[in-house]
Amino acid sequence: MNDFERTENSDYIHGVIGRALIIATRFEISCRSYEEIPKVKAYHMASLLDNDPKKFENLIVQMMKKFQSLNTSITNIKGLNGDLTDILHDARESRNYIAHSLTIGLDRCFDLTMPNNIFIDELKEHINKIIDADILISLLIVGSNKDDIPTLDSIAKYKASTMDWIFDE
């Protein structure tokens, strides 16, 4: 249990894992939040009519406590064709891999465990799936809020900057 060594390489890998987990969690929370948007809007309107902001705050606290599984949240999204649902479920599987399996066996010195290029290439595949799905769920949220749809250029920049943020040294 004392084989924890910090090197420049291991610090880089730890940083990549942490940033990948942040993006995976962001996707999960977006999916879970999307199905709650109509309830939030309705309760917010009711709290404005009642002039009772505490009622709205209590609703948000209760909703945060009872989030469903990511699988259920994705399954409950109505109106998506099979390809779009597949994008979300593929990302869910990648999210689960990052959250639950990615670091199995990496509790020792990274420099001896696995070549960086194999580890990073595999993680990039998972992150690409998550980013694509994150963009999809974000567009659904934007559409349900009737906000401006981002341009294709801004979406491409988001994807590139997120990949750079996670993987650049």
Side-chain angles (χ1 to χ4, degrees), residues 52-127:
D52 184 5
K54 279 287 185 206
K55 184 185 276 187
F56 182 65
E57 289 173 24
N58 291 337
L59 167 77
I60 298 300
V61 168
Q62 290 305 311
M63 285 174 34
M64 295 301 282
K65 288 181 182 176
K66 68 175 186 111
F67 267 147
Q68 299 176 16
S69 72
L70 180 56
N71 182 52
T72 302
S73 294
I74 291 171
T75 302
N76 287 341
I77 296 174
K78 306 293 183 231
L80 294 182
N81 69 32
D83 290 341
L84 296 179
T85 302
D86 289 347
I87 289 170
L88 295 174
H89 280 295
D90 286 348
R92 175 186 55 80
E93 290 174 8
S94 287
R95 176 261 173 226
N96 289 344
Y97 173 76
I98 290 169
H100 301 294
S101 303
L102 176 66
T103 61
I104 292 174
L106 297 180
D107 59 338
R108 300 289 187 254
C109 180
F110 283 114
D111 297 332
L112 303 175
T113 306
M114 179 186 301
N116 270 5
N117 62 327
I118 294 171
F119 180 82
I120 295 297
D121 288 348
E122 181 179 352
L123 185 54
K124 281 181 179 180
E125 288 179 35
H126 289 286
I127 289 297

Side-chain angles (χ1 to χ4, degrees), residues 28-41:
E28 177 180 10
I29 294 302
S30 294
C31 288
R32 289 177 171 189
S33 298
Y34 177 70
E35 70 178 310
E36 300 294 334
I37 289 172
K39 292 180 207 169
V40 170
K41 286 180 180 179

Side-chain angles (χ1 to χ4, degrees), residues 14-31:
H14 282 121
V16 166
I17 291 168
R19 290 184 293 272
L21 188 55
I22 288 169
I23 295 302
T25 302
R26 173 192 158 109
F27 162 68
E28 177 180 10
I29 294 302
S30 294
C31 288

